Amino acid sequence: MNNEGDPLQEDSRDEGNETEGTRMRKLRRTRKKVTKSHISSTEIGEMDMPNSKDDTGDNTQIPKVPQLSSRMKHIKQEMAKNHLQFVRFEATDLHGVSRSKTIPAHFFQEKVIHGVFMPRGYLDLIPNPKGNEVDHLRATCFNSDIVLRPELSTFRALPWAEGTARVICDPFTVTGEPVQTSPRYLARRQLGWLQAAGFSLLSAFLYDFCLLGAPQVINSKAISFPASALVDHHAQRFLQELVGGLRHTGAEVESFSSSTRPGQVEVCLLPAFGIRSADHAFTLRTGVQEVARKYNYITSFFVETGLCNSGVLSHSLWDAGGKNNLFCSSPGTGAGTEPLTTAGKRWVAGLLQHAAALSCLMAPARSCRRRYSRESPDRRESVPTTWGYNDNSCALNIQCHGERGTRVENKLGSATANPYLVLAATVAAGLDGLQSGDGALPGPEDSPALSLARPPEIPLKLEDALVALEEDRCLRQALGETFIRYFVAMKKYELENEETDAERNKFLEYFI
């Protein structure tokens, strides 16, 4: 086959990366193959290929007997060493909150083999969706049990829960099919496509949360006041125990600090490859709440003003072996002569193109969308999606400094968003940019008008963002019709049933 004039080959030569053209063609073949029909549980198992730096290969099916025996031996040793009496089987619901069943430790091996049963409503949150709103496999699907199957590599003793360990699970139907609305399944599927095309993703979440004192009753109304984080000795001990405990679970904290508002704390997790970054964010969200209770604090990832509730996903695209950062023009080194490679420009172009739909998944409540308009005094229905180099005011901030080289901060996210959905949607949009984008982004000195013929807009109203998600063919295909219809139905249900102060109460109480 004659590849002469192939722009992908030209890009690879220009950037000194001889394998980029091969990876891109592989991506196209993979995307065409997996989008012809609905992915089955066996297909996702085949696509999640093992990698020493990427846990996407640790698939959600029951491990084979030799593998199970080896891991169980290690887990039993850890149980004896830490005197563990209970194990939580944890899974994320659609809001990113941990839902779990706890079993006595001596039943653990039996439950690994057979799974733990749980009502599906615990994870999907709407008790009885209308048939015309949700396209599901069986009419009784949403009223039945699901089976939690653990990923044994996530087994950890919990420092903040005495005698208790946890293992992160993936939900399956009773007939053995992956639950199509499971955020972790969707993230694993996207990472599987990425891995099959010869890429891997290094990413980390940065979260803001509010640290509040115990509620006080004033004029018959319960009020929580912000705690003076990092000033009061009590708060300092809380943060030190939290960071130490997270490290014990594998969720390493790179830094933490007080943020812009009283009682607001910023925590930045250390980057990890594959699904582990979302697993660590999921662990952080639960750990924050449990450790806070020991110090008579309440924590919330919701900020009432909506101005300071960041949930940033910092990420970069690497080769499958995790050796070269493909956003850098000189693979294997830090920043290159070019701030962002052609592959990086295509990735960012994909994020820009799908920003409206992405915002629905990354800022999934009315209040957390207010920060999109904080720079606009006039009342508008949408705001432009901004990007820039080393500019923290942009929705997509391309950082070109530090030992890890060039990376993209996706700042569309709210701290209330589900980290697995943020990861899945970001990869889906980025993959689409790699496959179909032309990388038409301006340099720092160029006019923003050159980036796209019509700059993408982010809807300020959640209702408009839901429409954008429904109309985005790429995300519908990547995340699946079942999930999109159900997510939209859930959000419409929430909007229709809002009451005065209901959203604030929901996020203050629900996220603790």
Side-chain angles (χ1 to χ4, degrees), residues 8 24-33 435:
L8 292 173
M24 298 298 291
R25 288 193 298 275
K26 190 176 181 182
L27 169 63
R28 287 171 174 168
R29 290 195 300 269
T30 302
R31 300 268 290 177
K32 288 178 181 178
K33 179 180 178 181
Q435 181 186 19

Side-chain angles (χ1 to χ4, degrees), residues 6 30 36 150 349 374 454 496:
D6 186 348
T30 302
K36 285 181 180 178
R374 64 180 182 271
R454 184 178 181 182
E496 291 171 359

Side-chain angles (χ1 to χ4, degrees), residues 36-101:
K36 285 181 180 178
S37 60
H38 200 68
I39 283 188
S40 68
S41 60
T42 55
E43 285 174 325
I44 188 65
E46 292 170 357
M47 294 183 64
D48 287 346
M49 297 178 292
N51 184 284
S52 60
K53 289 183 176 288
D54 192 337
D55 280 352
T56 59
D58 193 351
N59 66 49
T60 56
Q61 297 176 354
I62 300 174
K64 296 179 181 179
V65 174
Q67 185 183 27
L68 175 61
S69 176
S70 174
R71 289 187 176 177
M72 282 305 305
K73 181 179 179 180
H74 175 76
I75 288 173
K76 286 180 178 179
Q77 291 172 346
E78 188 172 353
M79 284 181 170
K81 177 182 176 181
N82 294 293
H83 306 288
L84 299 176
Q85 298 176 325
F86 302 97
V87 180
R88 290 182 192 168
F89 281 59
E90 287 191 284
T92 176
D93 69 13
L94 287 177
H95 287 316
V97 175
S98 171
R99 298 292 187 167
S100 65
K101 274 199 171 183

Side-chain angles (χ1 to χ4, degrees), residues 41 117 137-138 141 144-147 149 172-178:
S41 60
F117 289 83
L137 298 176
R138 294 174 179 80
C141 187
S144 65
D145 282 344
I146 55 172
V147 184
R149 298 210 178 274
F172 286 77
T173 67
V174 292
T175 56
E177 299 157 335

Side-chain angles (χ1 to χ4, degrees), residues 325-372:
N325 181 348
L326 303 181
F327 286 173
C328 294
S329 57
S330 300
T333 66
T337 56
E338 184 89 12
L340 192 63
T341 62
T342 299
K345 291 177 181 178
R346 290 181 176 185
W347 183 275
V348 173
L351 299 182
L352 288 168
Q353 186 66 35
H354 300 287
L358 284 175
S359 74
C360 185
L361 298 166
M362 301 181 72
R366 275 179 171 166
S367 293
C368 64
R369 303 187 67 84
R370 292 174 188 163
R371 62 195 186 88
Y372 288 159

